Amino acid sequence: MNLNRLKQPKVTSWVVLGVMILSVVFLSGFEYRMVDSSQQSAAVPTLVPGPTVASSPATASPTPLGQGNGPILGIDSGPQLSYPGIPWVRISYATCGGGDMLGDVLKSTIQTYHQQGVRILLLMCQSSSGPQLFNAQPINDVAHAGADAVQCGNEQMKYDPPATLYISPQNFARYYDLCASAVHAVNPKTPVLMGSLDPHVGGVDFQPLMDQVKYLNQMQSTMNTTVHPGGHWKWQEQTIGLIDSWHNGYPDDSVNSLYHLYQFWAQQFHVNLSSGQLGKHLWVIEGTGCFQGCGLDPNNAYQIAVSHILTLITDVRTTMRYQVPFFYFSSQDFVLHDVYWPIGILDTHGQPKPLRQDLSPGARKLVMTCSTGKQTVVDQRQLLAALYKGCSLPANYVSILVS
């Protein structure tokens, strides 16, 4: 495919549109729990009994959320990793392939992060589409882990067996209610995300996005007729996780799926996109760029490297402009099903990657302007932290990176 023809997410060519849709299908098949493992060696069923939720204090956070601690900007990572200048990390519970991330191990891991001043978004994946979905034991374990925010479920609308477990809106309503209630019994102020929306291309995939709205409407109906009969629960009053996987910013800055997704969901939540209110309803729990199946040549190292770094920059600048919480995906490159995924800010050995990952370290530099003065960044970890800090890029950063 000729990439120069892909000038913006909304295209008229049926051929290009077909490629884009196929790419979304491919990317939406990307199973988080499998990735996490690679980075670490209709009727509503009844609740499976488990330990009773107790209102004991959670692990102390550095400072309560909302008390001048800055925007929610982070990275998705395996445990025991920290990133200087990046204030949040998303880690996974054992049901997501998180190894032994449960019980005391999970609590001590979160405590270690807190001692470093890092906040935690804890992801809990649905482990079953049957009765075990409602098992209270893992739900209570997550609730008492001491995380600063909890994501209850992941890509629950996606049908991709056996990798991803689709949960009907009726069952997910019950599951989310149990999970959110358990977390809030421990700490009523802990943000709880209502699962996540599987990735689609903003500005192109209008019908798939409307199908997600339909799912949420069905979930709302179940909440008010079955889970809490006669209730007035609205999904527009909740917070939902969002996944965006597109080469935003490449081949030019008009390609920005994330921006168009923000536009769409701002309309659905009935907020003005420029007001900064969307961030109360939407968190980007995985923001990344695609590298195959989306019109890019996965064998072209230059193309993949340039699209990767421009995506990182475009995503962060877009999310900070509209004040939406954001977690970059991923912390490290990884291999999945014999396919190398070059989408991290670190290589597979945990070492920082150059700004242009197809070149040697230091081959490209960006002199950024920060509140403390000039800062020269030479790797992707430094760049992400500087962007999160609010540093400005040089006017010619695109030419520096693409040359």
Side-chain angles (χ1 to χ4, degrees):
M1 177 181 174
N2 185 348
L3 287 175
N4 291 328
R5 296 178 184 173
L6 185 58
K7 296 299 183 184
Q8 55 185 2
K10 189 170 185 179
V11 294
T12 57
S13 167
W14 286 103
V15 175
V16 176
L17 181 59
V19 171
M20 297 175 80
I21 292 173
L22 287 174
S23 73
V24 175
V25 172
F26 173 81
L27 288 167
S28 65
F30 176 37
E31 168 52 29
Y32 181 84
R33 71 194 65 204
M34 298 174 70
V35 172
D36 189 82
S37 296
S38 72
Q39 293 179 346
Q40 310 171 54
S41 265
V44 178
T46 56
L47 174 66
V48 177
T52 302
V53 176
S55 298
S56 60
T59 305
S61 300
T63 56
L65 284 178
Q67 295 188 8
N69 46 282
I72 298 172
L73 299 166
I75 193 164
D76 188 278
S77 174
Q80 312 302 339
L81 295 174
S82 62
Y83 308 86
I86 298 179
W88 281 75
V89 168
R90 186 179 83 147
I91 63 174
S92 301
Y93 188 66
T95 55
C96 307
D100 59 353
M101 283 295 102
L102 72 169
D104 290 338
V105 173
L106 177 62
K107 289 181 180 179
S108 64
T109 299
I110 294 177
Q111 288 172 352
T112 299
Y113 274 115
H114 283 169
Q115 290 167 2
Q116 300 171 5
V118 178
R119 297 178 179 279
I120 296 298
L121 168 60
L122 178 59
L123 166 60
M124 181 183 184
C125 297
Q126 56 272 21
S127 59
S128 169
S129 58
Q132 281 299 313
L133 175 67
F134 306 97
N135 187 346
Q137 190 280 322
I139 291 176
N140 289 331
D141 196 21
V142 165
H144 287 271
D148 302 280
V150 175
Q151 180 185 330
C152 294
N154 193 52
E155 296 188 83
Q156 63 273 10
M157 303 179 188
K158 183 169 67 181
Y159 181 73
D160 185 27
T164 302
L165 299 177
Y166 169 82
I167 308 298
S168 71
Q170 295 77 20
N171 284 354
F172 193 73
R174 179 69 178 275
Y175 169 78
Y176 171 72
D177 183 69
L178 291 170
C179 185
S181 296
V183 173
H184 287 154
V186 177
N187 186 346
K189 296 184 178 180
T190 299
V192 178
L193 307 188
M194 196 170 67
S196 65
L197 304 162
D198 48 298
H200 294 297
V201 182
V204 174
D205 294 331
F206 182 75
Q207 188 55 54
L209 291 174
M210 290 306 301
D211 289 342
Q212 292 183 339
V213 173
K214 179 180 178 181
Y215 181 104
L216 294 171
N217 287 336
Q218 293 174 332
M219 186 179 170
Q220 177 174 300
S221 177
T222 299
M223 278 288 196
N224 295 324
T225 59
T226 304
V227 180
H228 297 288
H232 302 282
W233 185 92
K234 295 181 179 180
W235 65 262
Q236 288 95 342
E237 297 174 353
Q238 312 304 312
T239 306
I240 306 177
L242 175 73
I243 298 175
D244 180 47
S245 304
W246 199 246
H247 47 81
N248 300 323
Y250 184 83
D252 59 59
D253 59 8
S254 69
V255 180
N256 195 337
S257 169
L258 185 59
Y259 167 71
H260 289 284
L261 289 174
Y262 283 174
Q263 279 191 320
F264 176 85
W265 288 107
Q267 293 172 356
Q268 304 306 314
F269 281 109
H270 311 301
V271 298
N272 186 308
L273 179 56
S274 299
S275 68
Q277 297 301 304
L278 183 60
K280 296 180 179 180
H281 303 286
L282 202 70
W283 289 27
V284 180
I285 50 89
E286 291 180 18
T288 189
C290 60
F291 68 98
Q292 59 179 333
C294 54
L296 304 185
D297 181 358
N299 298 313
N300 187 324
Y302 165 83
Q303 192 177 87
I304 298 304
V306 171
S307 65
H308 167 75
I309 198 64
L310 291 181
T311 295
L312 184 154
I313 292 171
T314 301
D315 282 4
V316 175
R317 296 180 81 185
T318 301
T319 205
M320 293 183 71
R321 176 180 179 182
Y322 297 109
Q323 303 175 51
V324 178
F326 180 87
F327 288 79
Y328 187 75
F329 185 88
S330 166
S331 57
Q332 289 186 234
D333 292 351
F334 53 88
V335 177
L336 179 65
H337 300 317
D338 298 323
V339 175
Y340 178 62
W341 293 69
I343 60 175
I345 62 170
L346 309 178
D347 63 22
T348 54
H349 302 292
Q351 298 302 309
K353 294 161 59 177
L355 294 178
R356 272 274 301 276
Q357 58 194 32
D358 61 325
L359 301 178
S360 59
R364 294 291 182 273
K365 301 177 182 179
L366 293 173
V367 180
M368 305 182 68
T369 304
C370 309
S371 60
T372 55
K374 299 290 185 179
Q375 177 181 346
T376 300
V377 301
V378 297
D379 64 54
Q380 296 180 28
R381 182 175 65 182
Q382 292 175 338
L383 175 61
L384 185 62
L387 289 170
Y388 280 173
K389 192 167 60 174
C391 299
S392 300
L393 290 157
N396 62 338
Y397 78 92
V398 174
S399 63
I400 293 174
L401 294 173
V402 304
S403 62

